Amino acid sequence: MKRKVLSAVLCGAMVLGAASPAFAAAGDGQKIALVGKSAGNAFFEIAAASFTETVEAEGGEVTVAYPETATADAQIATLEGLIGQDFDAICVAANDVNALQAVLEDAMAKGIKVSSFDSAPNPDSRQVFVNQAGTKAVGQALIDACYDIAGGEGQFAILSATSQAANQNAWIDAMKSIMEADEKYSKLELVEVAYGDDEPQKSTDQTSALLEKYPDLKVICAPTTVGIAAAAKYLQDNESACKLTGLGLPSEMIEYTGEDKSCPYFYLWDMQGLGKLSAYATMALVTGDITGALDETFTAGDLGEYTITEADDAGTEIVLGLPLEFNSENIEEMAKLY
């Protein structure tokens, strides 16, 4: 904020004050690129809008970029195109755990700060990951939903995004580990993990194939907003006895959610909060307030103070919070927001 010079006596102090960053906004002059997995993902669009709004409110600018397809090669090409454009930071939702390493290491070597959210590249490819919810917490919520909806026993399948999506694989691994460690889940049988590649038609086709292959299938768990919406429509349109749960957007799931519909309930998190937290974390990397090291703390605006913790992949992360359940009692209200 600029202030008028009141007297000659204060001139020297005012010059020093103008040079001080004390009153500078968190993102003053920062240029940040935000890279999605692919265009058309409603979950990412909500988080991206919040990310952009947060950075712009702090005096920075954001360029949102998408690969042509939801593949690692296409995302690498997008990142390569951004590296030479003088960005201070790149925040990426990774399509592949390891394939982006060379291009992201190149970005960091050129002085570009690298953060990620939603889906993390490996620890060598980032400085910090902003996790929408703890991996174990998501896995626990999903396996408990499958257990509950299946009545404690029977076959269930998972309809994931791409086979290399880090977040999807981490949640699925957590579900498997929880099942193996607790006798409670011994009568549940995971028959297959299918991949819809975050494409509506492929997700629909995979849902159809699962039902044909496993006629006794009780539950499909789709930990992907694209996959769950496609599966919900197919199950309901075909009056399938198989039920659904997973991670989805209330606005896309409202007509399919309820005890008498294809999806009794499902989960997600605060997408706007994820975008905002990711924005503050990325700006803090640029200013040097954090480096991404374990146990560092920073303030993310009105979200409050966060501490950087160890991620499951031995890198570091910042966890937004717990997953939220969406059901027939809150779906209409939440659909107005997401």
Side-chain angles (χ1 to χ4, degrees):
M1 179 181 296
K2 294 183 178 179
R3 304 162 71 183
K4 294 181 180 178
V5 177
L6 301 179
S7 70
V9 175
L10 297 177
C11 281
M14 292 304 299
V15 169
L16 291 174
S20 169
F23 299 102
D28 261 357
Q30 293 184 15
K31 185 179 174 184
I32 299 173
L34 178 61
V35 182
K37 295 178 182 178
S38 62
N41 186 314
F43 162 77
F44 180 83
E45 296 297 339
I46 293 169
S50 179
F51 185 105
T52 300
E53 180 181 351
T54 302
V55 172
E56 290 179 347
E58 295 290 343
E61 62 178 277
V62 176
T63 296
V64 182
Y66 303 95
E68 291 186 1
T69 59
T71 64
D73 287 344
Q75 200 167 46
I76 289 168
T78 299
L79 290 164
E80 287 174 341
L82 293 169
I83 287 175
Q85 296 183 40
D86 201 29
F87 284 99
D88 297 300
I90 292 174
C91 182
V92 58
N95 270 332
D96 189 285
V97 178
N98 298 312
L100 308 184
Q101 182 169 335
V103 68
L104 291 176
E105 283 184 335
D106 183 39
M108 289 186 284
K110 289 179 167 60
I112 300 171
K113 305 302 182 183
V114 174
S115 63
S116 62
F117 79 80
D118 179 40
S119 183
N122 68 38
D124 292 329
S125 306
R126 69 179 198 259
Q127 287 165 286
V128 73
F129 170 52
V130 181
N131 197 348
Q132 49 266 51
T135 299
K136 185 174 181 180
V138 175
Q140 187 73 63
L142 294 177
I143 194 60
D144 282 344
C146 292
Y147 178 89
D148 175 48
I149 294 169
E153 61 183 5
Q155 296 180 336
F156 79 101
I158 294 173
L159 175 63
S160 186
T162 66
S163 61
Q164 295 301 314
N167 55 348
Q168 303 282 310
N169 289 339
W171 297 327
I172 293 167
D173 286 344
M175 293 174 70
K176 291 177 179 177
S177 296
I178 292 166
M179 287 179 66
E180 291 171 0
D182 194 335
E183 182 69 19
K184 169 185 174 179
Y185 308 102
S186 62
K187 293 183 179 180
L188 275 183
E189 180 188 3
L190 174 58
V191 292
E192 186 174 335
V193 179
Y195 300 97
D197 292 344
D198 261 356
E199 297 175 7
Q201 187 56 56
K202 186 169 183 181
S203 297
T204 299
D205 294 342
Q206 291 283 17
T207 302
S208 175
L210 285 170
L211 294 175
E212 184 175 351
K213 190 173 181 180
Y214 306 103
D216 296 326
L217 194 66
K218 286 190 172 182
V219 183
I220 293 174
C221 178
T224 155
T225 57
V226 176
I228 195 172
K233 184 178 190 309
Y234 184 88
L235 292 173
Q236 194 149 304
D237 287 352
N238 289 275
E239 300 181 346
S240 174
C242 180
K243 295 295 184 177
L244 177 71
T245 191
L247 305 174
L249 289 167
S251 59
E252 294 183 342
M253 292 294 292
I254 186 168
E255 64 182 296
Y256 309 115
T257 302
E259 292 300 324
D260 59 343
K261 298 183 179 180
S262 60
C263 182
Y265 58 91
F266 62 99
Y267 296 88
L268 204 61
W269 31 79
D270 179 1
M271 287 79 70
Q272 291 174 323
L274 178 60
K276 179 181 283 191
L277 180 57
S278 301
Y280 277 113
T282 304
M283 289 186 286
L285 284 173
V286 176
T287 60
D289 289 343
I290 60 173
T291 65
L294 189 66
D295 294 330
E296 289 180 331
T297 61
F298 73 104
T299 300
D302 58 5
L303 293 177
E305 187 172 277
Y306 283 81
T307 300
I308 298 176
T309 57
E310 185 174 3
D312 291 340
D313 63 4
T316 60
E317 68 179 10
I318 304 159
V319 179
L320 175 64
L322 294 171
L324 306 175
E325 180 182 314
F326 302 109
N327 52 51
S328 59
E329 295 182 1
N330 64 8
I331 187 74
E332 290 190 10
E333 189 64 28
M334 298 309 295
K336 298 174 184 176
L337 300 175
Y338 304 123

